[in-house]
């Protein structure tokens, strides 16, 4: 939780920073030596450099990809009506924002393994929520389509999520 950055040159200790603390599970710092002289720990400028922009961009991309998959299947299942479209869109926006923000928070605070465990648990919860919402709100004569749609849509988006998680992290 607390550490110092130690600088060596030719296997000889030069200097160490003042104590630093972890601010995230994956903590990033940038060190600036532009002052030219480094004789005390105060001469070393250390800046937190966690890439919040990239994390927010990844969050948005994950949500958009999920919406594309699940809405694409919505049309393949021929569930289209304005009312059904609104139900699926709003339900997915709510569940995917909840899921992806929770995963980002877990990644930030606890790391990949906790986030992956949470992903499995929350994907199951999202499936249940969407299944219930669609059973109540979607208008379709063939009930088996409304039973099958959230299962396939969530399995596909979950698979993509695992793929992205595996290759991006």
């Amino acid at each position: 939780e607390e550490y110092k950055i130690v600088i060596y040159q030719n296997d000889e200790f030069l200097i160490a920073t003042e104590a630093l603390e972890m601010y995230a599970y994956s903590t990033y710092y940038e060190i600036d030596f532009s002052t030219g002289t480094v004789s005390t720990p105060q001469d070393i400028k250390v800046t937190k450099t966690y890439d919040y922009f990239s994390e927010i961009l990844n969050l948005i991309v994950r949500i958009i990809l999920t919406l594309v998959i699940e809405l694409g299947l919505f049309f393949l299942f021929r569930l289209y009506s304005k009312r059904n479209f609104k139900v699926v869109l709003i339900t997915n926006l709510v569940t995917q924002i909840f899921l992806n923000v929770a995963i980002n928070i877990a990644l930030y605070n606890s790391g990949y393994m906790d986030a992956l465990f949470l992903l499995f648990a929350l994907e199951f919860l999202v499936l249940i929520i969407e299944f219930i919402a669609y059973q109540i709100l979607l208008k379709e004569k063939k009930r088996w389509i409304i039973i099958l749609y959230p299962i396939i849509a969530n399995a596909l988006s979950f698979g993509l999520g695992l793929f992205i998680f595996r290759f991006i992290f």
Side-chain angles (χ1 to χ4, degrees), residues 8-70:
Y8 287 86
Q9 183 176 17
N10 299 329
D11 293 333
E12 183 179 321
F13 172 79
L14 288 180
I15 198 163
T17 63
E18 294 184 356
L20 303 169
E21 289 186 9
M22 289 184 68
Y23 60 88
Y25 184 82
S26 295
T27 299
Y28 300 94
Y29 285 102
E30 185 176 291
I31 302 172
D32 182 4
F33 293 104
S34 63
T35 58
T37 59
V38 179
S39 55
T40 68
Q42 292 79 17
D43 293 334
I44 303 172
K45 183 179 177 188
V46 180
T47 309
K48 296 176 183 177
T49 57
Y50 192 85
D51 192 358
Y52 294 100
F53 176 78
S54 179
E55 289 299 325
I56 291 169
L57 187 61
N58 282 336
L59 171 80
I60 292 168
V61 167
R62 286 193 313 265
I63 292 169
I64 290 171
L65 285 175
T66 300
L67 286 174
V68 166
I69 289 170
E70 297 206 12

Side-chain angles (χ1 to χ4, degrees), residues 104-124:
N104 269 40
I105 291 169
L107 278 169
Y108 184 83
N109 291 320
S110 305
Y112 305 115
M113 290 307 291
D114 284 357
L116 190 57
F117 176 76
L118 188 62
L119 175 63
F120 280 98
L122 291 181
E123 273 289 353
F124 184 72

Side-chain angles (χ1 to χ4, degrees), residues 41 66 72-73 77-78 93 109 122 132 162:
T66 300
L73 278 175
F77 272 77
R78 299 175 187 226
L93 277 172
N109 291 320
L122 291 181
I132 292 169
L162 284 179

